[in-house]
């Protein structure tokens, strides 16, 4: 020890402590409670004894007596159902209705409310992205637009009304007669960009009050839906153009709505009678403009976009318009254009008036009536011209027909669905319709008739629409609803007969992936293993699996959803070979992560099953080996968390040696992930403690040998860690474990190793990407270390208190931050340890470990060494306090002085006059500048006064008289 300060000779005496007596004296008093009257979960009942004031005129003030003076609890009112939400709920259950509403009107509105679209209806917006990504083209596209001339200039206030009317009529005549601008040779992305620009131009024109120009843009865009020159792109074109129509319809509706706000805004459930004449006139004007559009397709689409505006005109306007537009679609000659027009009409119909089912049904039955057009000569000639195969052409209809059927089938009665299914049966070449029926109808409806659907699929023409697509649609329904149990095996066999004959790997895996869920849901590992074998057989040739990773991942996900018994899972002969198809590193790691997530979530008990351990060890090694210099820290943490979860679930019971061998193997396997190594060290320490607890008595030698092996594992592994605080804390923890198992030499080695690396602690460390001072973390560690040293016996060859002296020497030599008090705070923290070491009986000990209290037995030389070290530490603290004399340092000086005062008060023998005077001086110094916390000071004084009343504590009375409180300056 290099300390030489001796200013306070005979000052640092520790007072004698009787811990048991102090413990009893500090315990809280126990009060008897009548549980018949009180329970912590009992509802609070409070009555207010004060009368209400400031009541409304005509109300009566009343007062209620109370036996308690407790203030009313604001939360107790929530328990009686009188909170605002309860009142709101009660009010909503009994709505106040206007007297003018008839019973028939109420019944109609109630029916409409019940038939509104709910959350169980899949919206169009969820299908938009899939259509745009599915229906693409590499051919060049064109846009033929009438841009028009800017003749619609704002009129001056003095313009005559007749002039404005004439100008508007001229503009309407000019809608379809003017300069044409054709954009040719556009790529698909260029086309999308142009449509987006038109959508933005529409909003800008509307915002600048150029309403006719906005209508021109919408009409010209709607005309594009008549063009099927690049037929494969038509569904995507439909999505893009209808976005513009939706924007336009919303702008017009909001405009007319705003005109109804004078003098009061319209209620949500308004009728045409509530609309003023100005708004009605404006609405009629818009419909007159639309009626002037010559071409059928744009007129139909624009009027459909404004369907909701009929609410402003008549009560039955929406219903009449839907019927009329449905009939108008019959005039469209191209069946593809017609079916998408019906889809759009059904879409706006479901948004505006979902209760009007008749128009939806009429659209579907009209579709059936015109279905034969698809196979007509005009369509066939067009397909030959564009070199499009009939199966590809038929898939273009799917989004539209699926949507129409979804709208029709939504909350439809069973009788209607059965009728629609029977009508589809009667049509020839009905595979396309059958596919859409299985897509759109309720899964329960399809599942209960699965055998019938299989019969219909068999009767379909393979050339027009591939049967594997039909089975894929059937499989989607069966993954959501269960067919009759007696039919499940035959359904799977019939489906797989078709699926396994599919030659295209892409088509095969798309279909097989769907039916995997049905197999997992209803069958055992035997059938699942058979399906996996068939997938491997189809996807291995020519490495076809490389183009099907998403589908293969979906297969794994579905298997893991239904199979949580990993011993059964890994006993499948084809499961691990199936995993081998994931050759791409990133995909392979994702699959391994998904397996580990399911294992950690569902594995209830620790396992020692060698099949599970070997398989998961291989999976975890795959994740570990993916780590490289470019791997992000978040990814490393994620992988480490999963691997640690696996290690946590491995248990060999009382076969501790086997458990240690597993940890040794895991250390070698996962050496690149530091959190895993840290977890392994913790696991080994827990193993050592468990060994010591279980294998005691007759097995003490064997226990000691095993604990030493665990200690050797930790001692070898800890230096490999890069984080200095991880090393420090693990050295300390391992030393504590060794000490608890009476392995003194190992404990000594760990503690000395911890002391030896203290100089390596940097002044700043990185935490979550930010540099922070390491000082607080170092102080926490040293305090923890000091508390352990109380029970560590001195080494016979190292001298008295050699670990304490070694630690303090390291602290003195460490390069602390500038203007830091950390070193002095360590010295103050060491004083309670030294005081505890001077007691005849220590505050805590370790069974079967002789601490210094036993080794020295209160030897005066040992006590003298402690006192000498205490004097040196106090001297260092006082020197530091003297150095803090500048104005900007008085706060630090006061804080340190009060800390040392508290230490002397708790552990020093203040009957010693010099020590007593030192304590008083420290108190006065801490309060000299009025910066000490007054509340803490008052409580400290109260404690000292309380102590003065105890036996043999009269010296506190004299001390209290010399301690004064100073107010803040």
């Amino acid at each position: 020890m290099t300390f030489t300060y001796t200013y306070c000779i005979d000052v640092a005496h520790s007072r004698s402590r009787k811990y048991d007596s102090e413990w009893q004296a500090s315990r809280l008093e126990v009060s008897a409670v009548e549980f018949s009257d009180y329970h912590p979960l009992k509802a609070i009942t409070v009555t207010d004894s004060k009368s209400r004031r400031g009541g409304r005129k005509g109300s009566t003030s009343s007062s209620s007596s109370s036996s308690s003076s407790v203030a009313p609890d604001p939360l107790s009112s929530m328990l009686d159902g009188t909170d605002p939400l309860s009142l709101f709920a009660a009010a909503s259950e009994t709505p106040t209705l206007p007297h003018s509403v008839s019973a028939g009107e109420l019944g109609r509105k109630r029916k409409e409310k019940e038939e509104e679209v709910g959350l169980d209806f899949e919206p169009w917006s969820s299908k938009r992205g899939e259509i745009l990504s599915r229906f693409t083209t590499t051919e060049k596209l064109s846009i033929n637009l009438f841009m028009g001339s800017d003749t619609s200039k704002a009129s001056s206030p003095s313009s005559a009304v007749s002039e404005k009317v004439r100008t508007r009529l001229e503009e309407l005549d000019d809608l379809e007669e003017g300069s044409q601008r054709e954009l040719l040779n556009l790529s698909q992305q260029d086309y999308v960009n142009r449509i987006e620009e038109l959508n933005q131009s529409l909003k800008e024109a509307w915002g600048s009050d150029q309403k006719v120009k906005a209508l021109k843009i919408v009409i010209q865009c709607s005309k594009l839906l008549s063009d099927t020159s690049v037929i494969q792109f038509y569904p995507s074109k439909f999505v893009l153009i209808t976005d513009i129509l939706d924007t336009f319809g919303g702008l017009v509706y909001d405009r007319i709505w705003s005109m109804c706000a004078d003098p009061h805004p319209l209620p949500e459930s308004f009728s045409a009678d509530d609309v003023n004449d100005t708004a009605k006139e404006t609405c009629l004007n818009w419909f007159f403009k639309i009626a002037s559009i010559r071409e059928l397709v744009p007129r139909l689409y624009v009027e459909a976009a404004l369907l909701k505006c009929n609410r402003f005109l008549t009560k039955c306007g929406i219903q009449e318009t839907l019927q009329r537009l449905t009939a108008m679609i019959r005039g469209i000659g191209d069946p593809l254009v017609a079916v998408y027009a019906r889809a759009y009409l059904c879409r706006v119909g479901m948004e505006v008036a979902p209760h009007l089912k008749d128009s939806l049904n009429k659209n579907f039955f009209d579709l059936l009536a015109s279905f034969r057009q698809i196979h007509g000569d005009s369509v066939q000639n067009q397909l030959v011209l564009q070199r499009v195969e009939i199966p590809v052409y038929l898939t273009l209809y799917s989004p539209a027909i699926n949507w129409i059927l979804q709208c029709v089938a939504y909350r439809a009665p069973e009788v209607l669905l059965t009728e629609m299914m029977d009508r589809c049966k009667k049509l020839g070449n009905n595979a396309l319709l059958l596919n859409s029926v299985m897509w759109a109808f309720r899964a329960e409806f399809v599942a209960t008739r699965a055998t019938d659907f299989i019969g219909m699929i068999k009767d379909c023409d393979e050339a027009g629409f591939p049967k594997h697509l039909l089975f894929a649609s059937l499989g989607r329904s069966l993954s959501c609803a269960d067919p009759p149990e007696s039919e499940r095996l035959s359904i799977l066999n019939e489906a797989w007969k078709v699926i396994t004959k599919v030659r295209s790997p892409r088509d095969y895996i798309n279909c097989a992936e769907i039916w995997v869920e049905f197999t997992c849901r209803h069958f055992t590992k035997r059938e699942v293993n058979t399906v996996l074998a068939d997938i491997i057989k189809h996807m291995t040739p020519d490495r076809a699996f490389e183009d099907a990773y998403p589908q293969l991942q979906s297969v794994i996900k579905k298997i893991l959803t239904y199979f949580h018994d990993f011993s059964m899972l890994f006993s499948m002969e084809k499961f691990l070979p199936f995993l081998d198809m994931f050759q791409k590193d990133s995909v392979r790691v994702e699959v391994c992560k998904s397996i580990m997530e399911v294992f950690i979530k569902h594995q209830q008990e620790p396992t020692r099953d060698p099949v599970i351990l070997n398989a998961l060890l291989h999976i975890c090694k795959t994740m570990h080996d993916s780590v490289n210099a470019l791997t992000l820290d978040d990814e490393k943490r994620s992988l480490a968390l999963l691997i640690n979860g696996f290690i946590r679930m491995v248990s060999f019971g009382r076969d501790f040696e086997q458990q240690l061998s597993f940890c040794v193997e895991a250390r070698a396997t996962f050496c690149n992930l530091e959190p895993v190594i840290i977890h392994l060290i913790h696991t080994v320490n827990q193993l050592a403690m468990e060994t010591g607890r279980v294998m005691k008595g007759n097995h003490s030698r064997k226990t000691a040998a095993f604990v030493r092996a665990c200690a050797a594992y930790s001692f070898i592994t800890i230096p490999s860690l890069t984080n200095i605080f991880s090393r420090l804390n693990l050295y300390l923890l391992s030393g504590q474990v060794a000490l608890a198992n009476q392995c003194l030499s190992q404990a000594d080695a760990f503690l000395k190793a911890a002391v030896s690396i203290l100089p390596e602690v940097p002044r700043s460390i990185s935490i979550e990407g930010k540099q922070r001072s390491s000082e607080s973390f170092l102080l926490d560690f040293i305090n923890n270390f000091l508390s352990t040293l109380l029970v560590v016996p001195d080494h016979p060859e190292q001298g008295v208190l050699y670990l304490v002296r070694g630690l303090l020497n390291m602290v003195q030599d460490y390069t602390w931050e500038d203007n830091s008090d950390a070193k002095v705070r360590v010295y103050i923290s060491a004083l309670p340890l030294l005081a505890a070491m001077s007691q005849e009986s220590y505050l805590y000990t370790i069974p079967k470990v002789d601490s210094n209290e036993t080794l020295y037995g209160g030897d005066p030389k040992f006590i003298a060494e402690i006192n000498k070290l205490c004097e040196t530490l106090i001297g260092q603290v006082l020197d530091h306090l003297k150095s803090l004399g500048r104005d900007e340092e008085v706060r630090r000086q006061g804080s340190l002085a009060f800390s040392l005062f508290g230490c002397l008060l708790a552990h020093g023998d203040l009957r010693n006059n010099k020590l007593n005077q030192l304590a008083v001086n420290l108190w006065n110094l801490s309060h000299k500048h009025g910066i000490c916390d007054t509340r803490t000071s008052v409580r400290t004084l109260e404690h000292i006064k309380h102590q003065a009343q105890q036996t043999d504590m009269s010296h506190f009375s004299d001390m209290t008289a010399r301690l004064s409180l100073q107010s803040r300056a």
Side-chain angles (χ1 to χ4, degrees):
M1 186 70 182
T2 60
F3 292 135
T4 59
Y5 192 88
T6 58
Y7 174 79
C8 296
I9 298 290
D10 298 328
V11 168
H13 290 285
S14 302
R15 66 184 177 91
S16 178
R17 305 290 293 273
K18 296 181 180 179
Y19 293 117
D20 291 338
S21 300
E22 292 180 23
W23 167 252
Q24 293 297 329
S26 63
R27 293 181 64 183
L28 297 175
E29 295 182 4
V30 179
S31 300
V33 177
E34 293 292 337
F35 285 100
S36 59
D37 299 328
Y38 167 78
H39 191 275
L41 299 181
K42 186 177 180 181
I44 302 172
T45 303
V46 179
T47 55
D48 190 1
S49 61
K50 296 181 180 180
S51 61
R52 299 179 184 176
R53 297 180 181 179
R56 292 178 298 174
K57 186 176 181 180
S59 64
T60 304
S61 296
S62 61
S63 62
S64 57
S65 62
S66 173
S67 59
S68 172
S69 61
V70 180
D73 178 15
L75 298 180
S76 61
S77 62
M78 302 304 170
L79 303 176
D80 61 2
T82 60
D83 62 283
L85 293 179
S86 300
L87 293 175
F88 175 78
S92 64
E93 291 175 2
T94 57
T96 303
L97 298 172
H99 296 290
S100 60
V101 179
S102 65
E105 185 72 9
L106 273 177
R108 183 183 66 81
K109 289 188 175 183
R110 186 179 296 110
K111 184 178 180 181
E112 290 180 8
K113 184 73 175 177
E114 292 174 355
E115 294 180 352
E116 283 185 359
V117 175
L119 296 177
D120 55 337
F121 184 83
E122 185 180 3
W124 174 260
S125 58
S126 66
K127 304 175 182 295
R128 182 181 181 279
E130 192 269 338
I131 294 174
L132 290 174
S133 61
R134 179 181 173 191
F135 297 98
T136 59
T137 184
T138 57
E139 296 186 30
K140 296 300 180 181
L141 302 164
S142 63
I143 299 179
N144 191 350
L145 288 177
F146 165 75
M147 302 308 295
S149 58
D150 292 334
T151 59
S152 56
K153 297 181 181 179
S155 302
S156 63
S158 60
S159 296
V161 175
S162 59
E163 180 69 21
K164 292 169 67 176
V165 172
R166 184 167 59 254
T167 302
R168 288 297 178 93
L169 290 174
E170 290 174 355
E171 290 173 345
L172 289 174
D173 290 338
D174 194 40
L175 282 177
E176 300 178 87
E177 299 174 359
S179 59
Q180 300 283 331
R181 184 156 70 98
E182 189 170 15
L183 303 177
L184 302 174
N185 297 323
L186 298 176
S187 67
Q188 177 179 317
Q189 188 58 49
D190 292 336
Y191 190 94
V192 172
N193 294 339
R194 293 293 183 183
I195 298 297
E196 291 295 334
E197 290 173 7
L198 288 170
N199 200 353
Q200 187 62 33
S201 298
L202 166 65
K203 296 176 184 177
E204 292 173 356
W206 189 272
S208 59
D209 203 29
Q210 300 182 58
K211 304 296 190 298
V212 174
K213 181 180 179 181
L215 181 58
K216 288 179 182 179
I217 294 173
V218 174
I219 293 172
Q220 297 304 315
C221 289
S222 301
K223 286 184 177 181
L224 297 176
L225 291 175
S226 303
D227 177 24
T228 58
S229 56
V230 184
I231 204 165
Q232 302 99 312
F233 187 65
Y234 191 84
S236 293
K237 182 200 293 187
F238 170 80
V239 169
L240 297 170
I241 300 300
T242 52
D243 284 348
I244 296 178
L245 289 164
D246 294 341
T247 301
F248 179 69
L251 291 172
V252 174
Y253 184 85
D254 293 343
R255 165 67 176 158
I256 301 173
W257 175 280
S258 65
M259 298 176 69
C260 301
D262 188 23
H264 303 292
L266 283 177
E268 190 66 31
S269 57
F270 71 92
S271 66
D273 297 334
D274 301 323
V275 182
N276 58 47
D277 292 340
T278 303
K280 286 185 176 180
E281 183 180 353
T282 303
C283 187
L284 282 170
N285 186 33
W286 277 111
F287 283 115
F288 290 153
K289 290 176 182 178
I290 295 169
S292 69
I293 302 173
R294 295 191 183 95
E295 294 185 23
L296 173 60
V297 171
R299 184 168 75 250
L300 173 72
Y301 271 102
V302 177
E303 185 171 359
L306 268 60
L307 179 66
K308 192 176 181 180
C309 294
N310 284 279
R311 290 185 64 188
F312 298 111
L313 299 177
T314 61
K315 181 187 299 185
C316 301
I318 292 177
Q319 183 176 3
E320 294 170 354
T321 303
L322 280 172
Q323 293 174 353
R324 179 168 51 81
L325 294 180
T326 300
M328 285 172 59
I329 296 176
R330 298 172 187 171
I332 300 177
D334 192 313
L336 185 64
V337 177
V339 76
Y340 275 94
R342 296 189 189 281
Y344 185 69
L345 187 59
C346 290
R347 178 154 77 84
V348 295
M350 284 296 289
E351 292 172 357
V352 174
H355 59 284
L356 299 177
K357 298 288 188 182
D358 290 342
S359 64
L360 298 174
N361 299 340
K362 188 65 175 173
N363 268 290
F364 174 71
F365 291 130
D366 281 359
L367 170 65
L368 294 183
S370 60
F371 190 72
R372 292 183 179 87
Q373 285 182 285
I374 296 176
H375 301 281
D377 292 340
S378 61
V379 172
Q380 298 298 325
N381 293 336
Q382 185 182 20
L383 297 183
V384 171
L385 186 64
Q386 296 195 35
R387 298 178 182 178
V388 176
E389 299 292 334
I390 187 67
V392 176
Y393 175 70
L394 291 178
T395 59
L396 302 178
Y397 285 81
S398 295
I401 297 179
N402 290 352
W403 177 257
I404 295 172
L405 281 169
Q406 179 183 330
C407 296
V408 172
Y410 182 65
R411 295 181 181 176
E414 198 90 352
V415 177
L416 177 61
L417 298 181
T418 304
E419 179 188 355
M420 294 168 65
M421 182 175 161
D422 292 339
R423 290 204 183 190
C424 291
K425 278 184 181 180
K426 295 176 183 177
L427 287 174
N429 295 325
N430 64 347
L432 175 62
L433 281 174
L434 183 61
N435 185 64
S436 295
V437 165
M438 290 186 290
W439 260 94
F441 280 19
R442 290 191 295 270
E444 294 78 10
F445 179 89
V446 177
T448 55
R449 297 164 177 78
T451 303
D452 294 338
F453 276 101
I454 288 177
M456 295 171 64
I457 293 172
K458 287 182 177 180
D459 295 338
C460 289
D461 183 9
E462 179 75 26
F465 200 92
K467 288 185 178 180
H468 69 84
L469 294 180
L470 298 174
F471 273 106
S473 299
L474 178 62
R476 287 188 186 91
S477 296
L478 298 184
S479 64
C480 301
D482 299 334
E485 186 173 356
S486 59
E487 301 175 7
R488 292 172 186 171
L489 183 58
S490 62
I491 291 172
L492 178 62
N493 287 332
E494 291 293 338
W496 213 260
K497 285 178 184 177
V498 175
I499 296 170
T500 194
K501 292 178 182 177
V502 178
R503 294 183 178 181
S504 166
R506 179 181 177 183
D507 293 338
Y508 169 83
I509 193 61
N510 285 334
C511 191
E513 174 253 327
I514 295 171
W515 279 88
V516 165
E517 182 163 5
F518 178 79
T519 310
C520 295
R521 186 168 177 165
H522 299 296
F523 298 98
T524 65
K525 71 171 186 177
R526 177 175 170 270
E527 288 78 12
V528 175
N529 192 63
T530 301
V531 170
L532 292 180
D534 195 61
I535 294 175
I536 294 171
K537 176 183 175 183
H538 280 77
M539 303 306 295
T540 301
D542 300 325
R543 300 179 68 86
F545 53 77
E546 292 182 345
D547 298 322
Y549 284 138
Q551 294 87 341
L552 296 176
Q553 283 180 274
S554 178
V555 170
I556 289 292
K557 182 179 178 181
K558 290 173 180 177
I559 293 175
L560 295 174
T561 301
Y562 293 96
F563 287 86
H564 300 151
D565 185 348
F566 278 78
S567 60
M568 177 187 296
L569 189 66
F570 290 127
S571 65
M572 288 186 196
E573 182 184 353
K574 298 299 180 180
F575 184 77
L576 291 178
F578 185 87
L579 293 181
D580 290 339
M581 285 196 295
F582 295 99
Q583 299 290 318
K584 188 177 180 180
D585 290 342
S586 60
V587 178
R588 189 179 183 87
V589 171
E590 287 300 317
V591 171
C592 292
K593 287 170 66 175
S594 65
I595 294 173
M596 293 309 305
E597 286 169 358
V598 174
F599 175 78
I600 294 170
K601 180 178 180 180
H602 294 284
Q603 185 71 22
Q604 301 295 328
E605 300 292 334
T607 181
R608 60 185 300 172
D609 187 332
V611 174
I612 295 178
L613 297 186
N614 290 334
L616 291 183
L617 201 61
H618 172 72
I619 290 172
C620 289
K621 185 177 186 302
T622 300
M623 295 192 299
H624 168 270
D625 292 347
S626 69
V627 175
N628 54 45
L630 300 178
T631 306
L632 299 176
D633 290 340
D634 285 346
E635 178 67 10
K636 290 180 181 179
R637 279 192 291 268
S638 175
L639 295 176
L641 191 65
L642 294 173
I643 295 173
N644 287 342
F646 161 62
I647 294 171
R648 199 175 294 113
M649 296 307 298
V650 176
S651 174
F652 291 89
R654 294 197 175 185
D655 190 348
F656 300 120
E657 293 181 358
Q658 184 66 30
Q659 189 82 34
L660 182 59
S661 298
F662 171 80
C663 291
V664 171
E665 182 181 0
R667 179 181 62 187
T669 304
F670 309 122
C671 57
N672 290 333
L673 288 173
E674 188 159 302
V676 178
I677 301 302
I678 293 173
H679 180 75
L680 285 170
I681 297 172
H682 280 284
T683 301
V684 169
N685 280 317
Q686 292 174 358
L687 182 62
M689 292 299 296
E690 182 68 11
T691 306
R693 186 183 67 82
V694 175
M695 298 175 62
K696 56 185 178 181
N698 296 332
H699 302 282
S700 58
R701 284 187 179 179
K702 188 174 181 180
T703 303
F706 185 79
V707 171
R708 286 196 293 270
C710 292
Y713 178 99
S714 299
F715 197 78
I716 293 171
T717 308
I718 292 174
S720 66
L721 302 176
T722 58
N723 187 291
I724 183 66
F725 283 103
S726 295
R727 278 187 279 158
L728 285 171
N729 290 317
L730 287 172
Y731 272 134
L732 178 57
L733 174 64
S734 301
Q736 292 167 342
V737 170
L739 200 62
N741 286 282
Q742 302 94 48
C743 295
L744 302 184
S745 60
Q746 284 75 17
D748 191 67
F750 280 119
L751 298 178
K752 286 198 294 186
V755 172
S756 67
I757 65 171
L758 281 177
E760 299 178 22
V761 177
R763 294 174 64 175
S764 63
I765 56 176
S766 176
I767 299 177
E768 296 181 353
K770 297 180 180 179
Q771 289 295 318
R772 289 183 54 186
S773 171
S774 63
E775 196 170 90
S776 60
F777 298 96
L778 183 55
L779 288 177
D780 287 342
F781 168 76
I782 291 175
N783 288 333
N784 193 3
F785 193 88
L786 288 171
S787 67
T788 303
L789 292 183
L790 177 63
V791 294
V792 178
D794 282 341
H795 195 285
E797 300 177 359
Q798 299 291 340
V800 178
L801 302 176
Y802 79 100
L803 279 175
V804 177
R805 294 176 185 275
L807 174 64
L808 293 175
N809 280 329
M810 286 295 183
V811 169
Q812 185 185 40
D813 295 337
Y814 183 76
T815 304
W816 298 93
E817 294 182 16
D818 298 335
N819 301 319
S820 170
D821 302 321
K823 179 168 67 174
V824 176
R825 292 197 176 277
V826 172
Y827 295 162
I828 295 175
S829 298
L831 292 174
L833 168 66
L834 295 172
M837 283 183 165
S838 67
Q839 304 300 318
E840 293 181 2
S841 178
Y842 281 4
L843 178 60
Y844 48 85
T845 57
I846 295 178
K848 298 183 180 180
V849 174
D850 293 333
S851 302
N852 285 339
E853 62 173 339
T854 304
L855 295 181
Y856 294 108
D859 188 336
K861 293 182 179 180
F862 177 66
I863 302 300
E865 287 291 333
I866 291 176
N867 289 338
K868 183 179 179 182
L869 189 53
C870 287
E871 292 167 3
T872 305
L873 293 176
I874 293 174
Q876 292 281 345
V877 176
L878 294 178
D879 276 350
H880 185 72
L881 289 174
K882 290 178 183 179
S883 68
L884 300 176
R886 293 190 296 271
D887 291 341
E888 64 271 15
E889 297 172 337
V890 293
R891 182 176 295 276
R892 292 165 53 199
Q893 184 187 60
S895 176
L896 288 172
F898 195 79
S899 296
L900 182 56
F901 169 81
C903 181
L904 297 180
L905 179 64
H907 303 284
D909 186 0
L910 297 182
R911 287 173 294 191
N912 183 294
N913 292 333
K914 292 183 179 180
L915 197 59
N916 191 301
Q917 183 59 47
L918 176 59
V920 172
N921 292 342
L922 289 169
W923 172 276
N924 292 333
L925 179 61
S926 65
H927 290 75
K928 180 178 179 181
H929 300 281
I931 59 175
C932 193
D933 182 54
T934 305
R935 182 179 299 178
T936 304
S937 300
V938 170
R939 289 180 177 177
T940 304
L941 269 179
E942 290 175 352
H943 169 73
I944 296 172
K945 291 176 182 178
H946 177 74
Q947 289 293 101
Q949 298 174 6
Q950 307 296 323
T951 307
D952 297 333
M953 293 290 183
S954 58
H955 57 283
F956 278 120
S957 299
D958 299 334
M959 182 179 178
T960 305
R962 292 184 290 162
L963 300 180
S964 60
L965 288 175
Q966 295 183 9
S967 62
R968 295 175 182 265

